[in-house]
Amino acid sequence: MKYDFIIVGGGIAGLATAIALQKDGYHVKVLERSTELKVVGAGLGLGANAWKGLTRLGITNDLERNCHLIKRTKFLDQKGNLISEMDIEHLNRKYGVAYFTVHRADLQKVLFQHLLPNTIEFGKRLVDFDQNETGVTVRLEDGNTMKGEALIAADGIHSIVRKKSFPNIKPRYSGYTCWRAVVKPPQELIVPGEFTETWGSKGRFGIVPLTNNQIYWFACLNAPFQSKDMSAFTTNELYHIFQDYHFPVPELIKWTENEKLIWNDIIDLKPTNRFAMDKILLIGDAAHATTPNIGQGAGQAIEDAIILSKILKDKNCKKEAFSEFENLRIPKTKKITNLSWRIGKVAQLDNPFQIKIRNSIMRMIPSKIQENQLESIFHTDF
């Protein structure tokens, strides 16, 4: 059997793209290397652009009960003094949904439920592929092969397809590492609708409300790449670092069980000018992985799905469609990646003098400027 599209990767990018293409009548197969749909990851923050895309996919009615609407964002120093804030409720009135949070696993489950039966095959690890004038052939670890008219790589920042197609494009380390957890703490530790991020000299700490009285928190520290010391951290070590931070930062860490900690170095892809190679296309993190500083990783993956579907309505030739996708998506994703990289560098300052200057400048920036920047990110080409 020959498919219109073979999609490698069953994450947000792969599932969203499969749904969008199936809605247009394409025969799609998704190959996922995991043996099952795993409930992994932590919280996600998504903007109006993501909600618009998910609405196009027809999944928002099923997803809504798992979403928490953010009404205000605050950036604080480690004593809890306000550095900057934004009234997201104003943008919610303008866009319907401007900024919301959801557990990554809940989003993936809803996306999965909207696929046609037997779309995704689990336990299928791609090891090689090639293309010719008639299409693409993928070779799997189990010895099987599969044919399609085109291959879409949604296999993440460590994409096998990208490594083979564009070997010079490699992940870069941001200079900081991160712990994340989702917990259900006492009610006094929760402020519904309010996202806060604390920028201190010892590290950065974010508090993100989710549904069902849950909190997703993250802690970022400057550190060497793949530090064995950092990988061995427990909540005790994190508590020791953040114990002098304002309420409820140390309290949330203390409330968290070690088993709930997820640790990763923060990496991205330096923006590139190539997403496509004839009948092969990179999307999502495989193409434009970004640091998580403006909450647009998943949002840009969803935009990829909708825009690819839109282009294919106008261009029957997949090679031409992929080239047009590249032309449309590179400018926006480059802007997102670079902006997020710069924000991360500013947020992770640990020199007291530089921190003082940064905080003073941020306090002088009108919230309208921040709002305009956010709205430029929310703009979509569909």
Side-chain angles (χ1 to χ4, degrees), residues 22-311:
Q22 286 181 337
K23 282 181 173 292
D24 293 333
Y26 291 106
H27 195 199
V28 179
K29 176 62 69 174
V30 178
L31 304 176
E32 168 54 41
R33 66 181 181 180
S34 300
T35 55
E36 59 184 356
L37 189 70
K38 293 184 176 180
V39 182
V40 296
L44 289 174
L46 297 110
N49 56 322
W51 189 259
K52 186 177 179 182
L54 294 171
T55 301
R56 289 286 186 97
L57 295 178
I59 75 164
T60 47
N61 286 341
D62 293 332
L63 184 66
E64 197 167 9
R65 64 179 176 271
N66 295 314
C67 297
H68 187 97
L69 194 64
I70 297 298
K71 299 178 180 180
R72 182 173 299 276
T73 62
K74 289 183 178 180
F75 292 87
L76 311 170
D77 66 20
Q78 63 196 59
K79 294 181 180 179
N81 299 314
L82 187 67
I83 301 173
S84 174
E85 68 177 322
M86 196 185 316
D87 179 14
I88 303 295
E89 185 70 346
H90 161 66
L91 294 176
N92 285 330
R93 290 192 293 270
K94 182 174 181 178
Y95 289 95
V97 174
Y99 194 65
F100 67 100
T101 61
V102 64
H103 197 293
R104 178 183 290 273
D106 289 332
L107 176 56
Q108 279 193 257
K109 280 190 282 188
V110 173
L111 288 168
F112 175 75
Q113 290 163 4
H114 280 256
L115 292 174
L116 295 177
N118 304 314
T119 298
I120 188 167
E121 289 192 28
F122 293 101
K124 299 295 183 181
R125 183 181 177 87
L126 180 144
V127 292
D128 202 4
F129 58 90
D130 57 55
Q131 61 176 316
N132 55 35
E133 64 278 0
T134 64
V136 298
T137 301
V138 302
R139 295 173 179 81
L140 305 174
E141 193 174 53
D142 61 13
N144 290 321
T145 61
M146 199 170 288
K147 293 184 180 295
E149 291 186 11
L151 173 64
I152 298 175
D155 51 342
I157 192 169
H158 299 293
S159 169
I160 294 173
V161 178
R162 190 191 67 247
K163 287 177 183 177
K164 289 182 176 291
S165 302
F166 307 107
N168 293 329
I169 303 174
K170 298 176 181 178
R172 62 176 175 176
Y173 180 47
S174 66
Y176 48 95
T177 195
C178 188
W179 293 261
R180 297 168 290 151
V182 174
V183 296
K184 198 168 184 176
Q187 197 66 37
E188 61 265 23
L189 302 186
I190 302 173
V191 181
E194 184 173 283
F195 163 87
T196 66
E197 198 167 304
T198 301
W199 294 3
S201 59
K202 296 179 181 178
R204 180 167 37 139
F205 197 92
I207 301 174
V208 187
L210 300 172
T211 54
N212 301 318
N213 294 319
Q214 296 180 100
I215 287 291
Y216 157 51
W217 65 256
F218 58 88
C220 298
L221 301 180
N222 296 334
F225 182 54
Q226 294 182 342
S227 165
K228 290 184 178 179
D229 290 340
M230 296 291 168
S231 69
F233 263 33
T234 66
T235 54
N236 283 336
E237 282 81 16
L238 288 173
Y239 178 81
H240 179 73
I241 291 170
F242 290 99
Q243 62 183 332
D244 296 328
Y245 277 43
H246 65 83
F247 175 89
V249 171
E251 288 80 6
L252 279 171
I253 296 173
K254 206 165 188 178
W255 184 260
T256 304
E257 299 171 355
N258 287 323
E259 294 74 26
K260 296 206 180 271
L261 282 183
I262 301 171
W263 171 74
N264 295 104
D265 282 335
I266 300 300
I267 57 177
D268 76 351
L269 294 176
K270 188 176 180 179
T272 174
N273 293 320
R274 296 294 306 276
F275 289 171
M277 189 174 69
D278 295 334
K279 300 177 180 69
I280 296 170
L281 179 68
L282 307 176
I283 64 168
D285 282 354
H288 47 72
T290 180
T291 53
N293 298 302
I294 53 176
Q296 277 294 313
Q300 291 307 303
I302 293 164
E303 279 195 33
D304 284 350
I306 305 302
I307 290 173
L308 178 60
S309 169
K310 180 175 179 287
I311 293 169

